[in-house]
Amino acid sequence: MLSDPVTPTQITRGQRLWLYALVTLIALFLVVPCLLVIPMSFSGGTYLEFPPKSLSLRWYQAFLGSPEWRQATLTSLKSAGLTTVIATVLGTAAAWGIHQRSTVFSQGLRGLFMLPMLVPLILVAIGLFFLFSRLGLNGTLTGLVLAHTMLAIPFVVIAVGNGLSSYDMSQHMVAQSLGANGLVAFFTVTLPQIRISVLSGAVFAFITSFDEVVVGLFIASGSNETLARRMFSNIRDQVDPTVAAISSLLVGMVVIGMAVFMILQPKAKR
Amino acid sequence: MTGLADRMPSGRATRPEGINAPLLRRAARQEGIGFALLSLPGVIVVVLVLVLPMAWLFWMSAFDNAGNLSLENYERMLRPIYQRTFTTTFRIAFVVSIACGVLAYPIAYLMAQSGPRLSMLLMLCVMLPFWTSVLVRTYAWLVLLQRTGLINAALMDLGLISEPLALVHNELGTIIGMVHVMLPFMILPLYASMKAIDPALLLAAANCGATPAQGFRQVYLPQTFSGLASGISLVFVMCLGFFVTPVLLGGGRVSMWAQQISDNISLYGNWGAASSLGVVLVLCTAFVLGGMRMALAQIEKRGR
């Protein structure tokens, strides 16, 4: 097996062992820190230790039993849910509109929608802190959802734009020529075919809001503190193993999400 | 015949001809306005929540604390304390983007070259950190690198060191954490550019008598330059304004640009200083990204 050639240029697997070893190390570097929090979160001690000397669920109890952590989780879920719905609708509509024409104007619009991705988050944060203090939106869910929707729109516009570029637009026109109005044609003919792109845009929007730290740090204070903000302050001020429990839950969600995606993907391709 | 046949594939209207031209043009114009209106709600959100506050920051940066038009905020940046922040930021951003390029190349290369199974496995190894919250990963590194952490404990058990090394709350820890956060952003564009290379080219090179090493250096490597360049500049720019990881892993000892901006607001309430720092940060970001695009356009032109 080691003498099998791996490229048309006759390099064998054996000659490439060093590459496999190197890549294994890099892959471990990428993966291990993400997974390491899981065993640590079951530690029974007051400090984080690895390997844990005794096993317990006390940090999960600390997380679920604390009204502050629960409140923060609820705020994050509410904000991410609302952001997902609004950003997906606005972003899909915008991507659809932009895709119809390729004029300087529509290119300009596309550029405008990419801006939230390019401006450093810390600037967005202080700019919004300033604006929202004038509008009384600091510490409100409305302000948080507005900010996160703006941050999430580029991902939806890109994802849906990608979907549309491989979609045969004439189907939409055929539907219209058969008497469907634009709206009906979009929902019955176009949307079902670009649903994977819309869905991936929505997932990006959810993650963008749920994981967002910096803007939340400035504008999500008081009773509308987000989970990410609370975790950040907790890590900065005291390294409390409760965060390990929350982190494990988050990593677990990512792993489940990736598994679902892997199972669903071949079906989507068929 | 520039009618239906040309217009069907893209669905985009061509210039109407013939007797109904004025009518068609008007219909096209109305349709165009309709399409523009579709993006209007999104535009309102981006303008109101991003462009407006940014414009405000730009405006504020031009006034001193007494409210007079002045360059005071920009002159302040020449002071040694800010100079130190800038050098730290650029040094870290440089080291992190080079390290990401070096680490990303082999893994992206193997992903592009190997069969579906191995490349899927490696892709999963990239996607797990990509989707995991930055906070979680930073926290994991904090735990790994601290004085009583796993790495120090392992090194002491092996007898390689007698005292725990200072791996975190300094520049080293910051760089390690940032490389981990940025690496997926480097691997993905690099992988895309490698995937686009026609394998027949390497075959042709071998046919012409090139050794595998020569083929790699002279045929493969140059074609990955654009992916490498765009990945590195993307990572560089993200490092310049990065807040979370430097604050947590630097432990207050590594003052990077974003933290300086944040401190000016939350500690000193100095909006002029914060906004001018922000303006220069945005300009640097735009400069690097714009420069990269122009360089890539040049490379493409020469390639033809």
Side-chain angles (χ1 to χ4, degrees):
Chain A
M1 185 188 156
L2 284 180
S3 53
D4 291 349
V6 282
T7 64
T9 45
Q10 306 301 312
I11 300 180
T12 61
R13 282 220 170 83
Q15 284 166 309
R16 243 187 198 190
L17 274 180
W18 65 273
L19 183 64
Y20 290 114
L22 182 64
V23 170
T24 308
L25 286 180
I26 299 169
L28 286 176
F29 170 76
L30 280 168
V31 170
V32 168
C34 303
L35 297 179
L36 200 74
V37 288
I38 297 174
M40 278 187 320
S41 67
F42 293 107
S43 140
T46 333
Y47 299 104
L48 280 171
E49 50 204 359
F50 188 92
K53 290 193 182 68
S54 59
L55 294 178
S56 84
L57 288 174
R58 61 184 288 194
W59 302 115
Y60 290 89
Q61 281 161 355
F63 168 54
L64 295 171
S66 141
E68 291 88 5
W69 280 115
R70 275 213 308 267
Q71 174 74 31
T73 312
L74 196 65
T75 303
S76 277
L77 286 175
K78 272 195 277 191
S79 138
L82 288 169
T83 300
T84 306
V85 173
I86 301 173
T88 307
V89 172
L90 298 191
T92 305
W96 176 249
I98 291 171
H99 188 71
Q100 307 293 325
R101 295 272 190 278
S102 67
T103 56
V104 179
F105 180 66
S106 65
Q107 291 304 313
L109 277 182
R110 198 192 302 270
L112 180 74
F113 283 121
M114 293 307 110
L115 270 187
M117 245 171 34
L118 300 176
V119 178
L121 274 176
I122 184 71
L123 271 188
V124 177
I126 64 167
L128 282 178
F129 181 60
F130 189 78
L131 179 74
F132 283 0
S133 67
R134 295 289 185 281
L135 300 173
L137 284 174
N138 275 333
T140 65
L141 190 64
T142 315
L144 194 61
V145 172
L146 261 180
H148 284 175
T149 300
M150 178 272 289
L151 290 176
I153 278 182
F155 298 105
V156 181
V157 171
I158 290 176
V160 177
N162 281 342
L164 286 172
S165 63
S166 57
Y167 165 68
D168 183 2
M169 218 41 145
S170 46
Q171 296 179 41
H172 185 80
M173 288 163 67
V174 169
Q176 279 184 305
S177 78
L178 291 172
N181 67 34
L183 213 58
V184 173
F186 178 78
F187 279 106
T188 57
V189 178
T190 306
L191 190 59
Q193 298 191 55
I194 58 166
R195 65 180 193 282
I196 303 284
S197 313
V198 175
L199 201 66
S200 71
V203 170
F204 264 107
F206 187 91
I207 302 272
T208 303
S209 169
F210 197 81
D211 285 350
E212 201 286 316
V213 186
V214 187
V215 175
L217 206 57
F218 279 81
I219 66 162
S221 50
S223 61
N224 279 316
E225 189 181 33
T226 60
L227 183 63
R229 178 190 155 117
R230 202 175 158 78
M231 281 172 75
F232 179 87
S233 335
N234 200 287
I235 298 172
R236 187 184 47 190
D237 303 334
Q238 79 219 61
V239 178
D240 168 358
T242 314
V243 177
I246 303 168
S247 298
S248 307
L249 292 173
L250 294 178
V251 173
M253 272 161 55
V254 172
V255 171
I256 291 171
M258 279 169 48
V260 169
F261 177 78
M262 291 273 290
I263 293 164
L264 289 181
Q265 202 190 23
K267 280 183 195 147
K269 266 186 188 159
R270 233 176 269 156
Chain B
M1 258 285 295
T2 53
L4 216 52
D6 280 0
R7 128 176 215 191
M8 288 309 264
S10 71
R12 284 183 176 133
T14 45
R15 181 167 287 277
E17 289 162 18
I19 191 157
N20 283 329
L23 218 63
L24 284 171
R25 264 203 296 275
R26 202 169 64 210
R29 206 160 44 234
Q30 279 170 352
E31 211 184 27
I33 293 171
F35 290 143
L37 283 179
L38 277 175
S39 28
L40 192 64
V43 170
I44 291 175
V45 170
V46 173
V47 168
L48 212 67
V49 186
L50 182 72
V51 179
L52 186 70
M54 283 309 111
W56 213 324
L57 284 182
F58 270 66
W59 177 255
M60 262 189 310
S61 72
F63 294 91
D64 63 16
N65 285 334
N68 301 315
L69 202 63
S70 85
L71 284 176
E72 186 194 320
N73 292 316
Y74 290 94
E75 279 161 10
R76 193 187 298 111
M77 276 188 246
L78 300 174
R79 289 188 198 162
I81 175 152
Y82 286 97
Q83 296 286 314
R84 209 162 57 225
T85 302
F86 292 142
T87 30
T88 311
T89 307
F90 277 105
R91 185 175 58 235
I92 291 179
F94 183 76
V95 173
V96 170
S97 30
I98 296 301
C100 280
V102 170
L103 291 178
Y105 207 95
I107 187 167
Y109 180 76
L110 201 59
M111 265 161 77
Q113 295 261 313
S114 43
R117 279 215 173 160
L118 182 57
S119 100
M120 182 51 113
L121 181 70
L122 290 175
M123 189 48 115
L124 286 179
C125 293
V126 179
M127 288 330 267
L128 181 67
F130 182 80
W131 287 109
T132 303
S133 153
V134 173
L135 268 181
V136 171
R137 292 190 273 156
T138 304
Y139 174 72
W141 278 112
L142 194 63
V143 176
L144 268 174
L145 297 174
Q146 66 190 351
R147 288 181 71 82
T148 54
L150 189 60
I151 292 177
N152 268 321
L155 290 176
M156 293 202 346
D157 284 348
L158 290 174
L160 291 174
I161 51 171
S162 52
E163 288 265 295
L165 299 171
L167 296 173
V168 78
H169 295 314
N170 57 22
E171 216 171 292
L172 179 66
T174 308
I175 288 173
I176 295 175
M178 283 171 77
V179 168
H180 188 253
V181 171
M182 299 294 172
L183 196 50
F185 294 101
M186 184 76 226
I187 294 174
L188 295 174
L190 200 54
Y191 172 66
S193 76
M194 286 175 176
K195 212 56 191 160
I197 295 175
D198 185 353
L201 284 172
L202 282 175
L203 209 58
N207 234 352
C208 297
T211 64
Q214 278 173 330
F216 175 77
R217 229 181 18 248
Q218 292 172 14
V219 177
Y220 197 87
L221 192 63
Q223 295 190 70
T224 57
F225 278 157
S226 62
L228 204 56
S230 60
I232 286 184
S233 48
L234 183 72
V235 169
F236 187 82
V237 160
M238 287 198 295
C239 287
L240 287 186
F242 202 22
F243 181 77
V244 175
T245 304
V247 170
L248 294 180
L249 294 182
R253 266 173 241 153
V254 182
S255 172
M256 284 182 74
W257 207 325
Q259 190 177 4
Q260 191 73 253
I261 293 177
S262 157
D263 285 352
N264 265 308
I265 300 294
S266 44
L267 299 182
Y268 315 118
N270 191 342
W271 282 92
S275 56
S276 58
L277 278 168
V279 168
V280 178
L281 177 58
V282 167
L283 294 181
C284 278
T285 305
F287 183 75
V288 174
L289 288 178
M292 190 266 298
R293 280 190 82 147
M294 264 155 62
L296 284 185
Q298 282 291 324
I299 290 175
E300 224 166 82
K301 227 193 279 169
R302 224 184 309 153
R304 279 208 196 107

